[in-house]
Amino acid sequence: PRPQTGGVRRDSRRSVQRTLTDPRRLRSCSFPAVSSATMAGLAWVDVLVVCVILLSVLAIGAWSTWATRNAHKSSDFFLGGRSMPWWAIGGSLFASNIGTEHFVGQAGSGAASGLPVSLYEWTAGWLIVLLGEKFAPVYLRALVTTVPEWLEGRFGKETRVLVSVLSLLSCIITKIAATLFAGAILLEVLAGWSLWTSTPIIIVTTGLYTIGGGLQAVMLTDVLQAVIFVLGGLAGMGIAMRRVGGWEGMQHTLEVAGLRSHLHMYRPADDASYPFAAMLTGQLVSSVWYWIFEQTQVQRVLAARSLPHARAGCVAAGYAKLLPPFMMVLPGIAARALFERCRLGLDDPGAGEGVGDEGSWCATRLDEARHANKAYPQLILREFPVGMVGVMVAAMVCAMMSSLSSNFNSASTLFTVDLYHRFISPQASERELLWCGRIATAAVCVLAMAWLPIVAHQDGEFYLVVQNAT
């Protein structure tokens, strides 16, 4: 529901306005938009920045594909030859989880509901460490390729089939399709491309090195992509907080708008989206599944050259999970604060342009959940300077590509190893398994696109849509 702000008294509003416009408090804040990006596209400088960064990523993917051109074993394609170092494991664990749905979805949840969505990230940190400390020894000792393969040894083939099918459905519904749709939101706002225009480009670009180089290409590109979107995300947070007047300015804006709860991590038990008890119990159950038993994450551990490398990679990824709330949630809250400043007339950056004017923050309608999903793209368009817009677009696209490539490879691994090789063609050669994995990757892409219309018609917070599907 929209916040009830009609009861704010005029004298209180003027008092807060004086506080927000005090140069001593907001000396670093300059509200007029400085970005040259428009709703129709990007400035040429931003396009150049995006091209340079993405070509660097594709160059690493092409090199990895060339380096593995003579691979003859399925383990080379699905597990990188079981030779990956700790830094590749840690970077890939982090990058494969952070997709554009996080930049779009978590920022949107930050704009709509505030800080509580951060609990998803901070809970994951210690679960990743638990994966390396307690479960990695078990998985590596079993010499399996997938988690369902390990489960068959304990519970039978029926369990293997069930978990494999559920994992494939989860991969398509809550990860690949969600990442593609989040990327479509980004490109729609920044470049004016429709969902069905941007999706094929994203799939083809990412699928080229995923199909060609296997897990090794995926993990090496993940590392570079993680560096890019972490640096871009932290820089974006700095710009967003500066635009809203720092923590103090954002806090005052939210208070006068009746949104003080946005800055509280824990909510009452009757909260519709983030009840306290559910975030500490129910959310924990799904997180345990995702970080300890889900194929996309465990596959990185299985690719380790040794147990110490697996554990070190998990510790590195665990610490990295402290960053997403700062990179994504805080900018989303800052965008909501800028919208509220416009709506309440508190030194609006688009003052005088009218509530319906597209140049005004009022036109973003971030107080509605379905529009809140565009909080971060709108923030980039309206407040970021030339050049930085390109960096942020590249950072988001890198996050999208890392998530997609990881899930493409994991889905093909599940189908090839747990279904095709186990039940359909037990005598399949290594070459046949390699080609089956590549064909399965393409098939999963098509299935993901088929689910996109359902995701596109969701009206709630996008990140919660994904979590509810899980």
Side-chain angles (χ1 to χ4, degrees):
R2 290 188 180 182
Q4 300 297 320
T5 58
V8 178
R9 296 178 300 173
R10 287 185 180 272
D11 57 341
S12 174
R13 180 178 298 178
R14 285 196 295 268
S15 174
V16 174
Q17 184 170 356
R18 287 195 297 271
T19 300
L20 290 172
T21 56
D22 187 342
R24 292 172 299 176
R25 293 181 180 271
L26 303 180
R27 58 185 178 274
S28 64
C29 185
S30 176
F31 283 110
V34 294
S35 171
S36 68
T38 68
M39 299 302 284
L42 303 175
W44 70 268
V45 175
D46 298 314
V47 173
L48 180 62
V49 170
V50 172
C51 290
V52 169
I53 292 176
L54 295 184
L55 286 175
S56 300
V57 172
L58 292 177
I60 292 182
W63 175 83
S64 301
T65 300
W66 180 83
T68 58
R69 67 191 185 283
N70 295 322
H72 299 295
K73 294 182 180 180
S74 58
S75 61
D76 294 334
F77 183 81
F78 298 123
L79 295 178
R82 299 185 187 267
S83 62
M84 304 306 294
W86 70 270
W87 52 267
I89 296 169
S92 188
L93 276 170
F94 179 66
S96 63
N97 170 248
I98 303 297
T100 315
E101 75 272 19
H102 284 72
F103 276 98
V104 172
Q106 286 200 356
S109 291
S113 303
L115 286 175
V117 72
S118 303
L119 290 173
Y120 284 102
E121 300 300 320
W122 288 341
T123 300
W126 65 269
L127 288 176
I128 301 174
V129 176
L130 181 64
L131 167 64
E133 185 65 27
K134 298 299 182 182
F135 289 86
V138 177
Y139 291 141
L140 292 175
R141 188 165 54 243
L143 293 177
V144 295
T145 304
T146 68
V147 175
E149 183 181 0
W150 176 75
L151 290 173
E152 181 183 16
R154 296 181 63 86
F155 305 109
K157 65 179 182 180
E158 293 82 5
T159 301
R160 181 175 184 175
V161 174
L162 177 62
V163 174
S164 298
V165 172
L166 289 176
S167 297
L168 281 170
L169 291 175
S170 173
C171 190
I172 296 169
I173 294 174
T174 70
K175 297 171 193 172
I176 296 177
T179 300
L180 291 173
F181 179 64
I185 290 178
L186 171 69
L187 295 175
E188 177 191 355
V189 173
L190 297 181
W193 291 3
S194 69
L195 176 71
W196 298 105
T197 300
S198 59
T199 296
I201 297 175
I202 297 169
I203 291 176
V204 171
T205 304
T206 307
L208 286 176
Y209 68 82
T210 305
I211 294 174
L215 186 63
Q216 179 175 320
V218 170
M219 293 181 71
L220 293 180
T221 53
D222 278 352
V223 174
L224 176 60
Q225 289 163 339
V227 172
I228 293 171
F229 67 69
V230 166
L231 294 179
L234 293 178
M237 178 199 70
I239 293 175
M241 295 303 292
R242 180 174 178 270
R243 287 290 175 213
V244 81
W247 181 267
E248 190 177 49
M250 183 171 68
Q251 184 179 27
H252 280 298
T253 301
L254 294 175
E255 284 181 357
V256 74
L259 299 174
R260 187 175 183 180
S261 61
H262 266 52
L263 300 181
H264 290 280
M265 187 71 69
Y266 292 103
R267 298 292 172 81
D270 59 350
D271 186 84
S273 300
Y274 302 97
F276 174 81
M279 292 302 292
L280 293 182
T281 55
Q283 183 263 140
L284 181 62
V285 173
S286 62
S287 295
V288 167
W289 154 256
Y290 183 83
W291 287 107
I292 295 179
F293 298 106
E294 212 277 328
Q295 176 65 22
T296 306
Q297 311 307 321
V298 176
Q299 193 166 346
R300 277 105 189 102
V301 174
L302 294 174
R305 63 177 56 169
S306 66
L307 179 58
H309 278 270
R311 284 176 165 167
C314 288
V315 171
Y319 277 110
K321 291 299 285 182
L322 296 174
L323 298 176
F326 300 98
M327 296 160 47
M328 304 159 195
V329 181
L330 280 183
I333 300 175
R336 178 62 181 271
L338 289 171
F339 165 79
E340 295 298 336
R341 289 179 65 84
C342 176
R343 189 171 67 86
L344 298 174
L346 302 175
D347 196 16
D348 178 289
E353 298 179 18
V355 173
D357 195 307
E358 194 156 315
S360 168
W361 267 101
C362 296
T364 61
R365 298 167 64 186
L366 295 183
D367 55 340
E368 300 179 16
R370 63 193 181 96
H371 293 292
N373 291 329
K374 297 183 180 181
Y376 212 141
Q378 292 285 0
L379 187 68
I380 294 173
L381 275 176
R382 298 170 184 274
E383 304 296 336
F384 283 30
V386 175
M388 194 60 208
V389 174
V391 171
M392 290 307 303
V393 171
M396 291 188 180
V397 174
C398 283
M400 174 173 49
M401 292 173 67
S402 66
S403 180
L404 283 175
S405 61
S406 298
N407 285 289
F408 286 166
N409 184 262
S410 294
S412 67
T413 303
L414 285 168
F415 176 80
T416 303
V417 175
D418 292 319
L419 299 178
Y420 183 81
H421 192 210
R422 177 65 177 86
F423 298 102
I424 300 175
S425 182
Q427 305 301 321
S429 64
E430 292 291 316
R431 180 180 177 83
E432 183 180 348
L433 293 177
L434 286 173
W435 279 105
C436 179
R438 293 187 172 104
I439 294 173
T441 301
V444 170
C445 295
V446 174
L447 291 174
M449 291 181 62
W451 200 75
L452 279 174
I454 300 175
V455 180
H457 284 84
Q458 294 294 330
D459 290 330
E461 295 177 38
F462 178 70
Y463 194 74
L464 288 183
V465 171
V466 177
Q467 298 302 324
N468 288 337
T470 304

